[in-house]
Amino acid sequence: MVRLDTNRSGEMEVYVRVVERGGFSAAARDFNMTPSAVSKLVRRLEGRLGVRLLNRSTRKLQLTPEGQRFYDRAVSVLADLTDAEDEAASAVQPRGKLRVTVNLPVGLHRILPLVPRFQAQFPDIDLDITVSDKVVDLYEERADVAIRSGPLQSSGLIARKLGQCPMVIVASPEYLDAFGTPHRVEDLSEHRLIGYNFPRAISEWPFDDHGTIKTVMPGGKVCVGDAESARLLTVAGGGIARLAAFHVRDDVAAGRLRVLLAAFQPDGGVDIHAVYVGQGGLMPARVRAFLDFCIENVDLN
């Protein structure tokens, strides 16, 4: 039997397996141990930490708040250990599963089309990509990298800027024929502005009116859950939206959408960052490979 009871990483591994398998018996089978030995190991871990990690009952185990936090960090620590061993054993190619979450426009139009090139360059990395405009918790989702738009919230995550994404205000010709074309920022108050139905880092639309920054809050008639829905609704004549320039470039070229108030758009654009878990230690090779690849290949204009 492996002497997991004498090392901290072994304790972490057993504890993580107990949580993920939902009980001592299932975890014990994975490690060829007895359930009582696994239970004793977890009790010893709780004693060493001085906190209760699990609330036990005859039906199920329930994590305490301290147990959840320890589980989240233990998963990260074990992943780092695996990465360190993999890098020491084989420095030739990054490898392993890479979990990425990315906002919808960047994911659909900039990341997914590059996946075949990434796979050809890094065949030993298994990509697990979630495309969503909702901000996810990297610890909770067990993700390695998240690509996010706008100002970053204060967190313990490490950020790497990928670039800036120019934004445009757009509407369909049909909508403009029916409701008129806004020529000033103030004109937007008379129009249907498409907003989002979840919290965003940037909820207001900024405008530069001859050196004066003005903001407009969208939302009212219709709110949607992601930028692609906003684009489709705008093409259908449902209102005016603020979207990434690359997201609607084909629609503008084809005449399905028209760019409005271009003279009032602030310089630059929305910052796009890749964020990942780290406290200054080794960055997993697979994470570094993905970040370097994005910096080199992702065009946000």
Side-chain angles (χ1 to χ4, degrees), residues 98-108 111-112 127-149 157 162 272-276 290-291 294:
L98 180 71
R99 295 182 174 89
V100 178
T101 70
V102 54
N103 65 44
L104 204 143
V106 176
L108 289 184
I111 299 297
L112 292 182
L127 280 175
D128 184 337
I129 302 177
T130 299
V131 179
S132 172
D133 273 353
K134 294 185 178 180
V135 177
V136 303
D137 186 315
L138 267 67
Y139 292 103
E140 183 177 336
E141 299 295 330
R142 301 181 202 171
D144 296 296
V145 180
I147 297 179
R148 294 177 176 170
S149 301
L157 301 174
L162 301 183
I272 307 295
H273 290 88
V275 299
Y276 55 96
F290 181 77
L291 295 180
C294 288

Side-chain angles (χ1 to χ4, degrees), residues 33-206:
M33 299 170 66
T34 64
S36 61
V38 172
S39 178
K40 181 179 179 181
L41 188 150
V42 173
R43 286 199 304 272
R44 187 169 65 246
L45 175 61
E46 290 176 321
R48 183 166 60 81
L49 297 177
V51 295
R52 179 175 291 277
L53 301 174
L54 300 170
N55 288 322
R56 302 156 176 82
S57 71
T58 56
R59 300 182 60 182
K60 65 177 182 179
L61 297 177
Q62 183 179 27
L63 274 72
T64 65
E66 295 80 8
Q68 181 64 58
R69 287 194 294 270
F70 184 77
Y71 169 79
D72 292 336
R73 293 302 301 272
V75 169
S76 178
V77 168
L78 292 172
D80 288 343
L81 286 173
T82 299
D83 291 331
E85 291 173 350
D86 287 345
E87 288 194 56
S90 176
V92 178
Q93 279 280 58
R95 65 182 63 217
K97 175 170 282 190
L98 180 71
R99 295 182 174 89
V100 178
T101 70
V102 54
N103 65 44
L104 204 143
V106 176
L108 289 184
H109 298 276
R110 289 298 182 262
I111 299 297
L112 292 182
L114 293 174
V115 166
R117 189 188 307 177
F118 182 84
Q119 289 176 311
Q121 190 170 341
F122 302 101
D124 294 326
I125 295 180
D126 301 322
L127 280 175
D128 184 337
I129 302 177
T130 299
V131 179
S132 172
D133 273 353
K134 294 185 178 180
V135 177
V136 303
D137 186 315
L138 267 67
Y139 292 103
E140 183 177 336
E141 299 295 330
R142 301 181 202 171
D144 296 296
V145 180
I147 297 179
R148 294 177 176 170
S149 301
L152 294 176
Q153 304 297 321
S154 177
S155 71
L157 301 174
I158 308 298
R160 186 169 176 182
K161 187 174 179 179
L162 301 183
Q164 282 190 318
C165 175
M167 306 295 290
V168 291
I169 307 298
V170 291
S172 70
E174 293 77 13
Y175 174 87
L176 298 175
D177 288 343
F179 297 97
T181 299
H183 297 288
R184 303 177 306 155
V185 176
E186 290 76 13
D187 295 340
L188 292 175
S189 63
E190 304 298 324
H191 285 270
R192 298 176 179 178
L193 308 184
I194 298 171
Y196 294 92
N197 55 19
F198 60 91
R200 293 171 60 84
I202 302 177
S203 56
E204 297 177 327
W205 298 0

